[in-house]
Amino acid sequence: PKRQYTTDDIYKLPDFIRVTLFDGEILTNDWTNLIIDEEVFKNLPSEDHHKTYRLSIVKSE
């Protein structure tokens, strides 16, 4: 089954990624498909816990 995302999941994403939560799906506001590694949602970044995000092009048409 496809994962249903929540509002809490959206808050765990970095601010520079513009997304919308619609019916349990994370959608971008342009023609980009967003693939998110589940590790992103496990721990919120904080002053003591920093995260590094890697953005890559998976497929370009």
Side-chain angles (χ1 to χ4, degrees), residues 16-31:
F16 62 85
I17 297 178
R18 306 245 183 225
V19 295
T20 303
L21 182 65
F22 181 76
D23 200 23
E25 281 189 67
I26 292 178
L27 305 173
T28 62
N29 60 352
D30 57 17
W31 297 276

Side-chain angles (χ1 to χ4, degrees), residues 33-35 55-60:
N33 292 325
L34 185 62
I35 299 169
L55 299 175
S56 347
I57 296 175
V58 175
K59 180 180 177 184
S60 182

